[in-house]
Amino acid sequence: MLKFDVITVFPDYLKPLELSLMGKAIEDGLISVNVKDLRDYTTDKHQTVDDSPYGGGPGMVMKPEPWGDALDEFATAETILIIPTPSGKPFTQALATELSKEKHIVFACGRYEGIDSRVAEHYKTKIRVEEVSIGDYVLAGGEVAVLVMVEAIARLVPGVLGNQESFADDSFAVGAMENLLEGPIYTRPPVWRDLEVPQVLTSGDHAKISAWKHEQAKLRTAQNRPDLAE
Ligand code: JFB
């Protein structure tokens, strides 16, 4: 059982995790997802979570005190704290695989310009903390990054995917397909709007099919991700 705790000022943003594959994994007791409102840890009448940045600059910064009170409640020695931020280390399939072996992951979702840096600094002296980015574009907060990461991590937990939809061949599944993107895929009907399924796939020659898939994967990788191609 992998436990996820998510702390956010927008708990409803995480609702999609109750659907489909993630909802089934929760029902089956393979993962749990607990979402907590950061404002429950404020002490003032207006439930303030932000303030202006020291040193000037645009926007607002999340105050450290509500984060400290929330994280003190959720973090144990076994916890890994993940803080999504555009300045974090890349979230990759390799990191998802490592995180899928954890017992307890707490996500701290910032908003505005982010969370006072002393929160990460403090918890790094107590528990494992990773500041992580899901890609080189700018979101408005950490919630969507957490949706992405929970789905990528949870589908690697044994039992979450059925035998139907196993992950051994995924693009980026370490070892599989030698870091190539997946090639084109087809199902019935054999002709659709004058487009035929490549004949090799209906030939029944499995050695030839494997060779063709590998060739297609290399072509697509060269085309879409020249940085991955040797
Ligand atoms: C994550 C966030 C913001 C700083 C902050 C909290 N790949 C990614 N892009 N953007 C985020 C991310 C991840 N992971 C991200 C958390 C927060 C963005 N913001 C907004 C905008 C600009 N600079 C606040």
Side-chain angles (χ1 to χ4, degrees), residues 62 83-89 91 108-115 132-146 149:
M62 294 192 103
I83 306 177
T85 166
S87 49
K89 71 151 131 164
F91 180 73
C109 296
R111 280 270 143 183
Y112 316 105
E113 300 304 306
I115 304 170
V132 167
S133 166
I134 64 158
D136 293 339
Y137 36 77
V138 181
L139 302 171
E143 288 79 9
V144 167
V146 168
M149 289 190 272

Side-chain angles (χ1 to χ4, degrees), residues 114-130:
I115 304 170
D116 186 305
S117 291
R118 292 169 296 183
V119 173
E121 190 183 341
H122 171 75
Y123 284 98
K124 282 175 186 176
T125 71
K126 310 256 165 216
I127 59 170
R128 292 170 298 148
V129 178
E130 297 286 359

